[in-house]
Amino acid sequence: MISANLAAIFYLVSGILFILALRGLSSPDTSRQGNYFGIAGMIIAIVVTFLSIGNFSTSLVYVIIFLIIGGVIGAFIAFKIPMTAMPELVAGFHSLVGLAAVFVAIAAFLNPTAFNLGNISDIKLASLIEMSIGAAVGAITFSGSIIAFLKLRGLMSGAPITFSGQHILNLILGIGIFVLIFYLCKTQSSNIFWTVILISFLVGVLLIIPIGGADMPVVISMLNSYSGWAAAGIGFTLENTALIITGALVGSSGAILSYIMCKAMNRSFVSVILGGFGADNSADDKKEKKDQKPVKSGNAEDAAFLMKNASSVIIVPGYGMAVAQAQHALREMVDKLKKKDIKVTYAIHPVAGRMPGHMNVLLAEANVPYDEVFELEDINNDFANSDVAFVIGANDVTNPVAKTDPKSPIFGMPVLDVEKCKSVLFVKRSLSPGYAGIDNELFYKDNTLMLFADAKKMTEDIVKNLD
Amino acid sequence: MEIDPFIFRLSIFILSIFIGYYVVWSVTPSLHTPLMSVTNAISSVIIVGAIIAALAGTSESIFNTSSIFGFIAIILAAINIFGGFLVTQRMLQMYKKKKNKK
């Protein structure tokens, strides 16, 4: 058994190790080391908790058993999950953090003596506020992440679900939570505590259902942030430095990612939260009208010919590549091109895919060296000097309309200047517009060749034609 | 007058937000997905609360209402800890530089 002071110092150490874990991610070289710091921090925190309780009764055996059960499940998931499923995995993990926060808060509420928070029906005021906020945010994180998970997994339509009075309802429920917490502090009634948690579950669902599939990068980052704030709330309740530091780190990390994603879409955070963007019906009408315009379409042979004769090619991957699992075929194609001394680079838009950094992970999985992969601002000037842009599964992030038409919903969004390339190859299943529901001018440009096919199949066909 | 310990915790919290802010801005965009999975893993340090709750049962009743919530929370957090760190590790293993074979 170690003293509370010594334990606090160890918790601080583990908090610092967590900071170093995030710091390591500033470059791929240091990132693996950073991950070890994180693991070390976690081991310290868990061991110190055991030591400071010093209760080595039979309960401990069960704790370890449950720890191992969870660990085995977690490890199994981590090794089995395909890289394309990363967004839903992360959403699923967020929901677990949220639910764990709720359960810890409930446990503390039911047995405050164990946590030094006072007695049942006489919990310290500050602790009560902290634990109910922790529980509420945790519950929102849990149910919100479940919805995000279902949408990403395709078990639920990615289309926004809206109804009139939605925002007012959310507002009322939000205020309701605060009012209830206020009464909870006055009465210490467990019924109110349960109600707070139930309403929070409901708010989580209501917050995420109106947000469309393509705004998912923002949603995931936002839920990441919430899971951090929930942890911090519990950290205050438990007076635990490691949890407070971690909660703050994760909270601000998620907030920054949400900000980056919003900026990359030129949308305000509020408008994403209010949701309803890219409703499907109106998009279909527009599509019908524009289908008249002439489009040049080609096949794999044409594409291979164009690329063979190019001296530089820029690949622009998007969500479609992830859906089709085309990253390995793509890599094969690039290898062939490189053998012919063609310079190939990759251009990644911040919101390509369904979560921040989604494309980078997929390319890394396909063994693409990370120093060939560039972010928007680093590569955008290169399009003008390149021969071929190979757009695979991306759409809105290449739409020049964002630069030219102030009336367009995506006007002002930073886009990749694909149209400046001498020729553009656009792999897409059909002419349908992207999530923004707007037509891409690029389809109708003279230097664009549309390749209508599944991304993976088309890439494989091109590979065959490159020989 | 004595300062409430809450204020100290609040100070740690606010300072950590600032640290988080600067540290996360320096994370390279290509590692944003591992960033999310690792933040997931570390926020599961909430397991310390779950352990306290689970161990609070007496030897006669290891499983009372409060400790059961603790035990379930241990499983949830453990899934996250192992899953989060391992999947991060798996992703980071894949980030490789160009081989200098030319």
Side-chain angles (χ1 to χ4, degrees):
Chain A
M1 176 134 184
I2 56 175
S3 76
N5 285 332
L6 191 57
I9 288 175
F10 277 115
Y11 284 133
L12 179 65
V13 171
S14 95
I16 291 168
L17 286 169
F18 290 151
I19 296 173
L20 293 176
L22 298 195
R23 182 73 188 103
L25 290 172
S26 56
S27 120
D29 295 329
T30 55
S31 60
R32 276 168 287 247
Q33 191 196 20
N35 203 33
Y36 293 129
F37 281 134
I39 295 171
M42 187 60 73
I43 293 172
I44 292 176
I46 293 176
V47 171
V48 167
T49 310
F50 282 132
L51 292 178
S52 62
I53 300 174
N55 167 2
F56 296 109
S57 62
T58 25
S59 309
L60 187 72
V61 180
Y62 286 100
V63 168
I64 291 172
I65 292 174
F66 281 76
L67 201 72
I68 292 172
I69 295 175
V72 169
I73 300 173
F76 183 77
I77 298 172
F79 286 117
K80 286 284 165 203
I81 192 92
M83 282 300 143
T84 38
M86 256 353 254
E88 50 265 47
L89 178 73
V90 168
F93 278 169
H94 286 155
S95 73
L96 296 181
V97 178
L99 196 60
V102 175
F103 283 179
V104 172
I106 292 175
F109 184 80
L110 294 175
N111 188 0
T113 345
F115 292 86
N116 281 327
L117 306 174
N119 298 307
I120 296 173
S121 309
D122 184 25
I123 300 172
K124 278 188 273 177
L125 184 65
S127 310
L128 197 57
I129 299 175
E130 289 154 6
M131 75 171 77
S132 43
I133 292 177
V137 180
I140 293 175
T141 313
F142 169 70
S143 55
S145 301
I146 293 288
I147 301 292
F149 175 84
L150 293 176
K151 285 195 173 192
L152 286 165
R153 188 91 221 167
L155 299 172
M156 188 178 152
S157 155
I161 299 168
T162 48
F163 53 87
S164 62
Q166 196 165 20
H167 305 319
I168 296 172
L169 179 66
N170 287 345
L171 190 68
I172 292 172
L173 290 175
I175 295 170
I177 290 175
F178 280 102
V179 173
L180 284 171
I181 291 178
F182 178 76
Y183 279 104
L184 176 65
C185 295
K186 279 185 122 174
T187 60
Q188 304 252 353
S189 143
S190 56
N191 285 339
I192 298 184
F193 185 70
W194 297 115
T195 318
V196 167
I197 293 176
L198 282 181
I199 295 182
S200 305
F201 279 134
L202 185 64
V203 170
V205 173
L206 289 172
L207 268 181
I208 308 302
I209 52 167
I211 304 181
D215 279 338
M216 277 302 153
V218 183
V219 171
I220 296 195
S221 319
M222 191 178 84
L223 291 166
N224 187 233
S225 181
Y226 287 177
S227 70
W229 304 131
I234 303 296
F236 274 102
T237 322
L238 305 181
E239 310 187 344
N240 183 307
T241 339
L243 251 179
I244 296 177
I245 295 177
T246 316
L249 288 179
V250 178
S252 51
S253 159
I256 291 172
L257 289 177
S258 322
Y259 170 80
I260 296 175
M261 293 302 119
C262 285
K263 208 168 146 245
M265 292 194 285
N266 191 39
R267 302 190 51 204
S268 75
F269 189 64
V270 177
S271 73
V272 172
I273 299 300
L274 294 182
F277 195 53
D280 286 343
N281 309 344
S282 57
D284 283 335
D285 300 338
K286 263 188 221 162
K287 190 176 72 187
E288 311 273 320
K289 260 182 270 161
K290 298 250 174 130
D291 270 354
Q292 328 294 353
K293 276 203 243 168
V295 171
K296 274 201 291 185
S297 78
N299 55 26
E301 218 174 303
D302 306 329
F305 178 79
L306 260 173
M307 280 197 273
K308 257 191 258 180
N309 293 305
S311 63
S312 57
V313 174
I314 299 180
I315 315 265
V316 181
Y319 183 57
M321 179 188 83
V323 175
Q325 306 248 23
Q327 66 271 31
H328 298 284
L330 185 67
R331 156 82 202 210
E332 230 178 290
M333 183 186 95
V334 170
D335 282 346
K336 291 238 162 114
L337 291 175
K338 277 197 210 148
K339 269 194 203 126
K340 297 179 197 296
D341 275 331
I342 298 166
K343 185 176 167 255
V344 187
T345 45
Y346 300 80
I348 298 195
H349 192 277
V351 292
R354 284 291 183 267
M355 75 184 294
H358 192 180
M359 291 301 121
N360 302 79
V361 171
L362 294 181
L363 292 177
E365 188 200 9
N367 281 323
V368 173
Y370 63 81
D371 39 8
E372 287 176 11
V373 182
F374 296 92
E375 301 298 316
L376 172 79
E377 60 265 37
D378 298 327
I379 199 165
N380 226 0
N381 293 329
D382 294 358
F383 282 106
N385 309 319
S386 298
D387 300 318
V388 176
F390 186 72
V391 183
I392 173 163
N395 185 0
D396 290 324
V397 298
T398 61
N399 197 340
V401 106
K403 289 174 284 191
T404 51
D405 182 6
K407 274 179 289 191
S408 162
I410 61 165
F411 180 71
M413 167 171 144
V415 287
L416 290 159
D417 297 333
V418 174
E419 77 280 2
K420 289 188 183 151
C421 261
K422 288 204 191 79
S423 40
V424 179
L425 294 169
F426 214 113
V427 185
K428 211 171 175 310
R429 266 175 302 191
S430 70
L431 266 187
S432 64
Y435 79 88
I438 37 173
D439 216 22
N440 194 339
E441 267 182 24
L442 209 52
F443 299 164
Y444 314 106
K445 294 242 171 177
D446 287 338
N447 58 349
T448 304
L449 189 66
M450 298 298 294
L451 307 167
F452 293 114
D454 172 76
K456 187 176 177 189
K457 198 171 170 304
M458 176 54 77
T459 315
E460 282 167 351
D461 289 349
I462 295 176
V463 172
K464 278 178 213 145
N465 280 292
L466 276 174
D467 291 321
Chain B
M1 206 183 115
E2 220 180 319
I3 301 173
D4 191 323
F6 173 79
I7 303 299
F8 285 114
R9 286 192 282 276
L10 189 68
S11 319
I12 294 174
F13 180 63
I14 306 280
L15 288 175
S16 303
I17 292 178
F18 276 89
I19 293 173
Y21 179 85
Y22 288 107
V23 169
V24 171
W25 271 118
S26 74
V27 171
T28 166
S30 67
L31 290 176
H32 275 162
T33 300
L35 171 69
M36 302 200 83
S37 60
V38 84
T39 50
N40 231 310
I42 64 173
S43 55
S44 303
V45 73
I46 201 157
I47 197 167
V48 301
I51 294 174
I52 297 173
L55 286 181
T58 55
S59 41
E60 296 93 58
S61 63
I62 293 167
F63 297 103
N64 56 40
T65 337
S66 163
S67 70
I68 288 173
F69 277 110
F71 279 114
I72 303 173
I74 288 179
I75 295 192
L76 298 175
I79 295 177
N80 237 327
I81 293 172
F82 283 78
F85 279 125
L86 289 173
V87 88
T88 310
Q89 194 66 17
R90 210 181 122 198
M91 273 191 273
L92 295 177
Q93 299 291 353
M94 301 184 313
Y95 282 83
K96 288 185 201 94
K97 253 195 188 143
K98 208 178 327 193
K99 286 187 210 110
N100 299 317
K101 56 182 175 186
K102 277 178 193 172

